[in-house]
Amino acid sequence: KDEIVDETADLDEIISKRQREFRRRDAAEKSRRLINCKVNIEGPIGILHFGDPHIDDAGTSIDLLIRDVELIKGTEGLFGATVGDLANHWVGRLARLHAKQSTTEAETWKLVEWFVTSIDWLYIIGGNHDLWVGNGDPVEWMVRRQSGVYEAHGARIGLRFPNNKEVRINARHDWTGHSQWNPTHGPAKAAQMGVDDHVVISGHRHISGYQIVKQPNSGLLTHAIRVASYKIHDTYAKELGLRNQNVSPSVLTVVRPEHSDDHPGLVTVFHDIETGVDFLKFLRTKETT
């Protein structure tokens, strides 16, 4: 009889393929342990961390979102960052919520593109709502010409300043752990369990929280932050009777690289964004006079 060809690759091919896949995955994971980012300007900088934008939701304050975008565009040394959930992207059993949303999916992507391409980003984290779009995420294409980091779930970034000072930002859409008594429990627990970065931040829960954790051995001060959301009015929260713990939809961290890791002035956190911008401008003016 004629030879029947097996559709399955032979064992050597399978092993070779698996070796290549692991090497590629291993290299990718190791390269993300700490993503180095060179800061090309002297003096202090600011990072405006956007909480969950949900840019297409009727309960989202688009005015506050525009305000923060314009502040970044108009302020030297101020960079944008977001912990994710750029839009709703309802799927599965939640797809029924599209019926209650006046913004179409096509309009949503126009809004997302405006937001993503308007400013210089330090990082954009893909939240659970962003990842619902599946493979071929359009945001990856939108940011491909930008210098910032776009990562699903989280990213750890090492800012390297001209004076060789390194300041590390560890941002996730969410950190594990929740406490009804402490809105910052997740990121603060991470710091207490050995995440030795200067800023540990997350969003996801649409609540605000802030806590400082001192690393006992190194003396490094970790600023554990949970940033809320621009989705000011949330039907889901109302249904569950969740308390309103949204202090501000964004948080601004001002970094002064001349300070040491244990100095309280290395990172200053503002929930009043406009006051934080004024502080950054004052510092940068002071540096040049």
Side-chain angles (χ1 to χ4, degrees), residues 113-122 124 141-150:
E113 184 176 24
W114 159 77
F115 182 55
V116 167
T117 59
S118 290
I119 57 177
D120 293 325
W121 293 96
L122 174 61
I124 299 176
W141 294 93
M142 295 175 189
V143 301
R144 66 189 185 280
R145 292 190 178 90
Q146 296 196 0
S147 56
V149 174
Y150 177 57

Side-chain angles (χ1 to χ4, degrees), residues 272-287:
D272 181 347
I273 303 303
E274 290 170 319
T275 298
V277 168
D278 288 342
F279 181 63
L280 175 62
K281 289 179 177 178
F282 164 74
L283 292 176
R284 292 197 59 79
T285 302
K286 182 181 175 183
E287 286 277 331

Side-chain angles (χ1 to χ4, degrees), residues 100-265:
K100 299 180 180 180
Q101 180 170 309
S102 60
T103 309
T104 68
E105 191 70 359
E107 292 171 339
T108 292
W109 283 117
K110 283 194 174 184
L111 288 169
V112 170
E113 184 176 24
W114 159 77
F115 182 55
V116 167
T117 59
S118 290
I119 57 177
D120 293 325
W121 293 96
L122 174 61
Y123 68 79
I124 299 176
I125 302 301
N128 58 303
H129 284 254
D130 302 310
L131 300 178
W132 285 345
V133 301
N135 293 327
D137 183 357
V139 177
E140 289 188 17
W141 294 93
M142 295 175 189
V143 301
R144 66 189 185 280
R145 292 190 178 90
Q146 296 196 0
S147 56
V149 174
Y150 177 57
E151 288 289 322
H153 309 300
R156 184 169 181 249
I157 302 165
L159 300 177
R160 179 69 66 176
F161 288 84
N163 66 350
N164 285 325
K165 176 67 179 179
E166 182 183 74
V167 174
R168 296 180 298 279
I169 313 292
N170 203 328
R172 290 191 58 81
H173 185 57
D174 194 18
W175 287 93
T176 59
H178 178 64
S179 167
Q180 63 179 325
W181 310 115
N182 179 9
T184 324
H185 179 71
K189 184 185 79 170
Q192 291 162 344
M193 297 295 286
V195 174
D196 61 340
D197 299 315
H198 301 83
V199 175
V200 177
I201 187 168
S202 65
H204 183 58
R205 299 182 184 274
H206 299 191
I207 59 178
S208 301
Y210 175 46
Q211 185 175 336
I212 301 176
V213 178
K214 183 171 183 175
Q215 303 291 346
N217 293 326
S218 66
L220 180 145
L221 298 179
T222 295
H223 297 263
I225 304 168
R226 189 176 289 281
V227 61
S229 173
Y230 291 84
K231 190 175 179 178
I232 307 299
H233 304 293
D234 190 340
T235 302
Y236 179 72
K238 186 181 293 186
E239 288 175 358
L240 295 183
L242 301 178
R243 294 177 298 157
N244 184 347
Q245 294 180 283
N246 186 336
V247 175
S248 62
S250 55
V251 167
L252 194 152
T253 53
V254 174
V255 181
R256 287 183 276 176
E258 70 271 20
H259 292 313
S260 61
D261 286 349
D262 60 351
H263 194 291

